[in-house]
Every structure is written in structure tokens, then in C-alpha cells.
């Protein structure tokens, strides 16, 4: 076996790592005859609530899918509104996140973002780097396949440099080259907006995640819906290939 399998968990536990696909902003706006960008703007409130609730419930890592590699294909005015919203949200929220001991990290093809946003990202990461509370990761210009391809390239480079033997490549070394390197895999994936798919999010890291879907649109995702997801997670027995009896004796 290339790496130890994850530990089974008994019922009632809080997920260490929650990942969220925030979907439904556009439909929320359309239902109100508003432009799509106003849905994204309304979604910031749910981001804030998710961060607060995750920290209060004892979640250690929260990873949010804010903009996928494929989202570059959206109409130019929507992409530009989203980028401005990220800059504005960072400007408005980082001090508060810092006060609340949140450590912020961004993952994705960040070199594709414009300079203004890249600078904001880098400053916010530096400012919160020593914080010891919730680890908040925002995926922007991120795609799961891209992540895997980049990790493969990094391993290939190590092989070419002679610092890694092909036969030494295993789960653990592969994981260490991915964007979420150093973090435990998400235990729970939440997706709002009614679709039941992964949409090229954390393809490798979600291997064992419990998946929880809701029809609630992202701007309407509130504490009670988040708690519903956590409650459902707590009712699951995660076996990772073990038998139910083995898990009971953990
Ligand atoms: C998907 O909904 C949502 C996005 C592509 C953007 C998510 C961004 C935010 C919630 C803004 C704030 C984020 C941060 C990190 C400050 P959609 O537009 O695909 O909705 P639809 O499926 O109804 O069209």
C-alpha cells in the first residue's frame, strides 16, 4: 500500500475540513429581475456567515470555490464584476478576518488574475499568515484537473532533477504537490444551487468526502442550512474500506 488509509470516524463528529461549491448566485438574481452580478454581491454575506459558523462549530479548514478555470468563459462584464468583487471583499473583510484569527490562503492559477487582485491576495495572506484559527482557503481560477496536471509536472521535474525515483511516487508525495498541500482532505463537500456534481473542484482531495447537496441558492445559504449539512455529516459512519464493526471499536 502506498500510504496509510484515512482513519474511520464514529458518528457525531464535526468535520475537520469543509469544502463548499457556492452555486446559484445567477439564479438568485434572475428570480429578482436583477443582473447576475448582484447575485454574486449578495453571495458575499453567505461567505461571511460560513466563515463565522465554521469557526464557531470547530471546523478547522474551510475551502470555498469562488471561481473555476471554466468561469473565464463567462461574459466579460460578469468576469470583471466578479474580479472587482473579490478585490472589494478583500479590502472590506481582511481586517475582520485577522481580528478573528483566521488564516487566509488562495489557491488556483493565480498568475492569470490581474495585478491589483494578486497584490491584494498576497497582502491578505501575509497579514494573516501567523493566525492559528480557522484556515480559510479560497479557490480562484482553480480546476481540479489543472491541479493534478501541475502536480504531475512538479513530480516529473523532481524525477528529471534526480531528486525523486519514479517508484517512490505515491499518494502522499502526489498530495504534497497539490494546491491543498499540507491540509487534510475535505471531510464534507457542500454544494448549493441544486446541481449534484463536483464541477472540476478538488478532484483528488475529495476522494473520501461525504457529499451534501441542497437546492438552496448560495445567497440564501444561512446558519440553519449549514447546520443541517453538519448534522447530516455527523450521522454518517465513515468506513474508508473498513467494516462497520471495525469502525465501532475505533
Ligand atoms: C456560482 O454561481 C458562483 C460563482 C461563480 C461565484 C462565487 C462568488 C461569490 C459567492 C462572491 C463572493 C466570494 C468571495 C470569496 C468573497 P452561478 O453564477 O454559477 O449561479 P447560477 O448557477 O445560478 O447561474
Amino acid at each position: 500500500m502506498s500510504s496509510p488509509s484515512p482513519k474511520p470516524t464514529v458518528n457525531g463528529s464535526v468535520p475537520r475540513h469543509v469544502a463548499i461549491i457556492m452555486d446559484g448566485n445567477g439564479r438568485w438574481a434572475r428570480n429578482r429581475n436583477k443582473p447576475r452580478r448582484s447575485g454574486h454581491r449578495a453571495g458575499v454575506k453567505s461567505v461571511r456567515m460560513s466563515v463565522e459558523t465554521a469557526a464557531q462549530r470547530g471546523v478547522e479548514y474551510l475551502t470555498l470555490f469562488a471561481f473555476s478555470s471554466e468561469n473565464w468563459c463567462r461574459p466579460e462584464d460578469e468576469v470583471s464584476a466578479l474580479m472587482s468583487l473579490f478585490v472589494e471583499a478583500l479590502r472590506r473583510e481582511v481586517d475582520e478576518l485577522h481580528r478573528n484569527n483566521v488564516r487566509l490562503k488562495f489557491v488556483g492559477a493565480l498568475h492569470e488574475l490581474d495585478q491589483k487582485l494578486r497584490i491584494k491576495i498576497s497582502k491578505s495572506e501575509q497579514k494573516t499568515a501567523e493566525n492559528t484559527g480557522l484556515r480559510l482557503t479560497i479557490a480562484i481560477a482553480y480546476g481540479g484537473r489543472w491541479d493534478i496536471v501541475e502536480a504531475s509536472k512538479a513530480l516529473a521535474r523532481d524525477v528529471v532533477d534526480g531528486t525523486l525515483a519514479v517508484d517512490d511516487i505515491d499518494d502522499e508525495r502526489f498530495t504534497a504537490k497539490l494546491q491543498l498541500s499540507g491540509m487534510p482532505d475535505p471531510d464534507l463537500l457542500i454544494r448549493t444551487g441544486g446541481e449534484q456534481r463536483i464541477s472540476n473542484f478538488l478532484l483528488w482531495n475529495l476522494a473520501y468526502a461525504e457529499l451534501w447537496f441542497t437546492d438552496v441558492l448560495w445567497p440564501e445559504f444561512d446558519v440553519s442550512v449549514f447546520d443541517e449539512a453538519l448534522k447530516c455529516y455527523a450521522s454518517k459512519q465513515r468506513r474508508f474500506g473498513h467494516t462497520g464493526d471495525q469502525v465501532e471499536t475505533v
Side-chain angles (χ1 to χ4, degrees):
M1 194 166 64
S2 57
S3 72
S5 58
K7 278 205 178 73
T9 57
V10 287
N11 300 346
S13 54
V14 174
R16 273 190 88 191
H17 188 167
V18 175
I20 306 185
I21 299 178
M22 310 179 286
D23 194 18
N25 294 348
R27 277 164 285 162
W28 181 91
R30 195 182 57 211
N31 294 344
R32 287 163 179 73
N33 289 319
K34 289 181 171 178
R36 293 178 58 82
R37 63 175 181 281
S38 73
H40 299 313
R41 191 163 281 279
V44 177
K45 179 175 51 71
S46 304
V47 171
R48 202 176 299 123
M49 178 284 299
S50 301
V51 172
E52 285 164 10
T53 306
Q56 282 163 10
R57 303 292 184 263
V59 170
E60 294 171 55
Y61 298 83
L62 178 66
T63 299
L64 304 177
F65 202 7
F67 190 86
S68 74
S69 316
E70 293 75 24
N71 287 153
W72 288 119
C73 305
R74 293 193 171 196
E76 215 176 300
D77 62 333
E78 182 174 348
V79 171
S80 137
L82 269 168
M83 295 300 147
S84 304
L85 187 59
F86 296 143
V87 172
E88 188 189 318
L90 280 174
R91 187 169 50 74
R92 293 209 334 218
E93 309 286 344
V94 168
D95 286 346
E96 176 75 4
L97 291 171
H98 187 46
R99 269 195 297 280
N100 287 314
N101 199 22
V102 173
R103 184 168 165 186
L104 194 51
K105 183 180 164 62
F106 287 79
V107 296
L110 304 181
H111 61 276
E112 293 175 0
L113 305 174
D114 76 21
Q115 201 192 11
K116 194 170 171 195
L117 180 52
R118 285 204 316 267
I119 291 171
K120 280 265 173 236
I121 284 175
S122 155
K123 284 192 175 159
S124 66
E125 287 182 336
Q126 278 166 27
K127 182 166 189 159
T128 61
E130 304 301 323
N131 290 344
T132 54
L134 180 75
R135 299 273 300 267
L136 172 62
T137 302
I138 313 277
I140 295 193
Y142 175 87
R145 288 184 174 180
W146 165 84
D147 197 1
I148 290 171
V149 168
E150 290 303 307
S152 309
K153 285 190 208 164
L155 288 170
R157 272 186 221 109
D158 289 349
V159 171
V160 171
D161 292 350
T163 54
L164 177 68
V166 169
D167 286 339
D168 288 338
I169 297 175
D170 58 10
D171 273 20
E172 218 172 319
R173 286 193 175 85
F174 198 92
T175 304
K177 298 290 190 192
L178 290 164
Q179 296 280 299
L180 295 194
S181 156
M183 298 185 203
D185 284 343
D187 303 293
L188 170 65
L189 172 76
I190 296 173
R191 181 175 183 144
T192 61
E195 309 293 357
Q196 303 202 352
R197 53 185 177 237
I198 308 278
S199 296
N200 200 19
F201 196 29
L202 306 168
L203 295 180
W204 174 281
N205 314 76
L206 289 172
Y208 291 101
E210 297 294 329
L211 309 180
W212 192 83
F213 302 101
T214 174
D215 289 338
V216 169
L217 304 175
W218 179 250
E220 283 163 357
F221 185 72
D222 61 13
V223 180
S224 68
V225 187
F226 198 167
D227 277 341
E228 209 185 307
L230 294 175
K231 193 171 159 203
C232 178
Y233 174 85
S235 73
K236 302 279 180 193
Q237 187 188 56
R238 303 182 74 204
R239 292 191 286 276
F240 301 110
H242 295 71
T243 67
D245 287 347
Q246 284 175 307
V247 177
E248 292 301 330
T249 59
V250 168

